[in-house]
Amino acid sequence: HLLLFLLFLGPFNCFASYSRATELFYSLNEGLPAGVLIGSLARDLRLPTADGQQAASLQPPLSFTLASHGLGGQYVQLDNCSGELHTSAVEIDREALCVESNGATIFGGSAAVSSSSASPESCLLLLDVLVLPQEYFRLVKVKIAIRDVNDNAPRFPVPHIHLSVPENAPVNTRLAIEHPALDPDMGTNGVQTYRLRDNYGVFTLDVEENENGERTPYLIVMGALDRETQDEYVTVIIAEDGGTPPLVGSATLTIGISDINDNCPQFNDSQLSVTLYGNSSLGTHVATVHAVDMDLGSNAQITYSYSQKVPQPSRDLFHLNESTGAITLSTNVDGDTPRLHRLIILGNGPGCIPAVITVLVTIIKVMMRPPEVVPRFIANEVEGVVYLKELEPINTPIAFFTIKDPDEKYKVSCYLDGDGPFRLSPYKPYTNEYLLETTKPLDFETQQLYEISIVAWNSEGFHVKKVVKVQVLDENDNSPVFSEQLVELSIEENNVPNAFLTKLHATDADSRERGQVSYFLGPDAPSYFALDKTTGVLTVSTQLDREEKEKYRYTVKAVDSGFPPRESIATVTITVLDKNDNSPRFINKDFSFFVPENFPGFGEIGVISVTDADAGQNGWVALSVLNGSDIFVIDTGKGVLRAKVSLDREQQSSYVLWIEAVDGGDPALSSTAKITILLLDINDNPPLVLFPQSNMSYLLVLPSTLPGSPITEVYAVDKDTGMNAVIAYSIIGRRGPRPESFRIDPKTGNITLEESLMQNDYGLYRLLVKVSDHGYPEPLHSTVMVNLFVNDTVSNESYIESLLRKEPDISVEEKQPQISIEPTHKKMESASCMPTLVALSIISLGSIALVTGMGIYICLRKGKKHHRADENLEVQIPLNGRINLHMLEKKPVEISNI
């Protein structure tokens, strides 16, 4: 339809429309709810519809329409009549809409989202709006800038960051951390700073920003490093954005110290002396030199060599193993062989000055052949080293040794030389056979290598040694041991996600993989706690709420890598510390109390119950009255509401108070509750007679007044309510010529003439009227004197006033209150019809028959009526006051109808 409309406009109209194309610019925050006003197109375009009077005259009225409901159209609602633009139910998420796309615009029809603008942080929502009818037609380009809010916390792409620093790194060395934190927010809401939770006194962080605005954290070395002292540092790196309040993210940062060749080989001794018999056989072990280098890997490789000062004959006689430093006899000793050899041996390390040790070898000339020691190993033996497991039982055999004299002329004995849990004993019944065995279990963690000697000597004093090395092999016989069996921690509630709690540490005395410890959470640990398997760093991934749970207790395991693996268990207890994050909470938002009026001052009206989920001082609650404090007070400790004075419902029937509860936190939190106090009525007000206004007033009653006619009324009100305000009227005292001639309606107070007045009824009538309520437990009443003067005229007012001033002699009719109303029947005698008939016959003889018939009919009707008539009811309630009035005599009066 729009296309057809544009085609029919013609070239002129098309040009006019394009000439009136307009651009509007608005801005709003992301994440706003539905219905937030963005702007009014009609007002901003200054169209007539913005003014109510002009808008009423537009025919047809203006209308506003989105050209297309594309990508941007789903986020707004356009009022077609007023042109007001509001946010829709679809929430705007700037980070989802405006992902960095190098300024590209994502179009959706005529509505689009654009990240290209004057500022690289801009995010625009583009809309095309058509304004109709034709005379106001224009195409409005609406640009809505989406402002960023800090709704995303920084987040590292990996939970664990590893960084290697050489131990010789100089102070102020800068190393880039390759995994900086990411924050979808822009500008100051993005990542601004980094910090370390524990810098160990040797590290700090700096941030560099490139031309694209990207911030990269750098680790700066602030002190000397030594891998041999500490080879690894584990801390937490925290990224913080610039929002208000700022949001943070964290990751574990492991800083490994890489080795450099800063240590050289060293010998424990500078000189070693050994003795060698001249008849020693080829391959006899002479000595072993050993140097130590504290570095690692290739930096700690040591080779052994002879110094240039060692003569060639000595080199030929003794072989030096370059790797192990073992010296062995390489040729036979003869008579020409020198008896003393000075072997200078160098321990060589890469890039180091060699370490030097001197081995003095003394060759003893032997005139006879020494005893021979022939070993036969039972345990596993390699190159003179016996390997035994540490868990081998007592008396484990190691080797048999056969002792013999080559010349077969001398007696040969032997003994064991050296420390260790070993025993050499003759193996009977054979002679010269000896068994080497253990005497107690071996423990790798106590000692790994033993060196013992089997010494044989003959009767001539010649002896020979056979050195045996026993290497203890490690077994997985030790479980990991925690440094603390009970780890007690505390953390404030509302912590940041992935907050660091502690670093667990366990050791295992076993070697190699058997001593490598891994850490695991026990099955009773909640899922939101995390324990790094390698480092033992314990973190919590979510915010903790003390009001939800204050104490956490669970187990952690340390497991080694042996087979089968061994483990130990420690207990972690975490106490969540309270923060003042809960406002006092009333049990009800609205309290209502019903209190009888005239309630004594400082009496308990009611109890206001309020709780605070926080603990300690944060949970202390103080109550106060915000309004009406001059009348009401509240007990802060117990919450008891009291009134300072007695309350009168007739002055005020209800009170509305606002109670404030403030906790003891810093800053303090508060809440309010509405208190409604309704006063219940008590019968504390007697009826107030408003008419007649005085006991001295009177009313003239003409004798011609017909029976049943209203004479006057008694009008009273009662300030109480309910039954306490229901009023009943009754005549309790009468005085006059014929006082029974008047009655009062107990409900309305209307006084009517009961009987026709005769000539002898003229005079002053005084009626004592009691006005009583229906209050409980005891009704209240008032009295008033109603004065009626029956006469044709008032000829002497002073006489009447003098009568009124006299104390009336009235007898009070005391009657008990009657709940049920009992009617009183009064029979009236039929009046004679004869006077009427005589008068009518005199007036018109021609109407005698008619008048007679009518008179008879009337008389019959009146007689029946008076026989059935019931006297009206009166509720009689006795007076509480004392009135000295005498009862009047009651005389029946006979009244004839005239």
Side-chain angles (χ1 to χ4, degrees), residues 427-444:
Y427 190 73
K428 297 179 180 180
Y430 305 103
T431 59
N432 297 331
E433 293 287 343
Y434 293 87
L435 175 64
L436 180 64
E437 59 186 354
T438 61
T439 58
K440 63 180 181 179
L442 304 178
D443 187 3
F444 175 86

Side-chain angles (χ1 to χ4, degrees), residues 403-437:
I403 310 300
K404 61 182 179 178
D405 180 15
D407 299 329
E408 297 182 354
K409 296 191 297 183
Y410 304 100
K411 181 180 178 182
V412 180
S413 300
C414 72
Y415 64 91
L416 183 64
D417 184 22
D419 296 328
F422 305 102
R423 176 176 59 212
L424 182 67
S425 56
Y427 190 73
K428 297 179 180 180
Y430 305 103
T431 59
N432 297 331
E433 293 287 343
Y434 293 87
L435 175 64
L436 180 64
E437 59 186 354

Side-chain angles (χ1 to χ4, degrees), residues 6 56 140 325 338 366 396 461 464 558 568 572 666 669 698 705 756 776 802 822 855 863:
L6 293 175
V140 182
V366 180
T396 296
V464 66
S568 62
V572 175
D666 185 18
L669 300 178
Y698 67 94
T705 304
S756 299
Y776 179 83
S802 65
E822 298 178 358

Side-chain angles (χ1 to χ4, degrees), residues 145-162:
I146 309 302
R147 292 191 297 265
D148 183 45
V149 299
N150 192 28
D151 56 347
N152 292 280
R155 184 174 182 179
F156 286 90
V158 293
H160 303 280
I161 301 174
H162 296 274

Side-chain angles (χ1 to χ4, degrees), residues 542-796:
T542 186
Q543 284 189 345
L544 299 179
D545 186 357
R546 188 203 67 82
E547 289 71 40
E548 182 178 339
K549 190 171 184 180
E550 183 178 6
K551 296 280 188 181
Y552 293 87
R553 185 183 180 93
Y554 53 86
T555 56
V556 290
K557 295 191 298 183
V559 183
D560 62 25
S561 302
F563 183 81
R566 300 176 69 96
E567 66 180 40
S568 62
I569 296 176
T571 301
V572 175
T573 63
I574 300 175
T575 302
V576 183
L577 304 179
D578 184 53
K579 294 182 73 174
N580 192 29
D581 57 345
N582 289 277
S583 300
R585 183 177 180 181
F586 289 93
I587 293 180
N588 298 313
K589 281 297 182 183
D590 295 323
F591 291 85
S592 296
F593 297 109
F594 295 88
V595 181
E597 64 173 329
N598 304 329
F599 194 68
F602 292 97
E604 181 178 324
I605 294 176
V607 178
I608 311 300
S609 298
V610 61
T611 60
D612 194 314
D614 293 322
Q617 186 172 348
N618 295 332
W620 295 350
V621 179
L623 297 174
S624 61
V625 181
L626 295 180
N627 62 324
S629 58
D630 55 337
I631 300 177
F632 297 94
V633 293
I634 191 166
D635 187 337
T636 298
K638 299 180 180 179
V640 177
L641 182 65
R642 306 176 189 273
K644 299 179 182 177
V645 296
S646 180
L647 304 177
D648 187 358
R649 189 203 64 81
E650 285 71 39
Q651 293 183 3
Q652 187 170 341
S653 61
S654 64
Y655 296 87
V656 177
L657 305 179
W658 289 95
I659 303 297
E660 182 182 37
V662 181
D663 62 23
D666 185 18
L669 300 178
S670 64
S671 61
T672 58
K674 180 181 178 183
I675 311 297
T676 302
I677 301 174
L678 301 174
L679 297 183
L680 302 177
D681 184 49
I682 291 179
N683 191 28
D684 58 346
N685 290 280
L688 176 62
V689 178
L690 300 180
F691 186 84
Q693 298 180 353
S694 171
N695 289 336
M696 301 300 291
S697 62
Y698 67 94
L699 181 68
L700 178 64
V701 180
L702 298 178
S704 59
T705 304
L706 295 177
S709 300
I711 304 301
T712 184
E713 69 171 341
V714 177
Y715 179 68
V717 295
D718 195 316
K719 294 181 180 180
D720 295 322
T721 60
M723 294 302 295
N724 294 333
V726 176
I727 298 175
Y729 302 88
S730 62
I731 299 175
I732 61 172
R734 306 168 186 262
R735 185 170 180 80
R738 191 156 53 93
E740 292 85 0
S741 300
F742 300 95
R743 67 175 299 274
I744 189 168
D745 189 297
K747 295 182 179 179
T748 65
N750 291 331
I751 296 177
T752 57
L753 181 62
E754 186 73 10
E755 300 172 349
S756 299
L757 298 174
M758 298 302 178
Q759 189 172 1
N760 57 352
D761 295 334
Y762 286 30
L764 180 63
Y765 290 79
R766 308 197 73 177
L767 305 178
L768 182 61
V769 177
K770 178 181 179 182
V771 183
S772 176
D773 60 25
H774 285 66
Y776 179 83
E778 185 174 358
L780 302 179
H781 69 272
S782 300
T783 59
V784 66
M785 188 69 72
V786 179
N787 302 305
L788 303 176
F789 185 61
V790 179
N791 202 1
D792 293 323
T793 61
V794 179
S795 59
N796 191 349

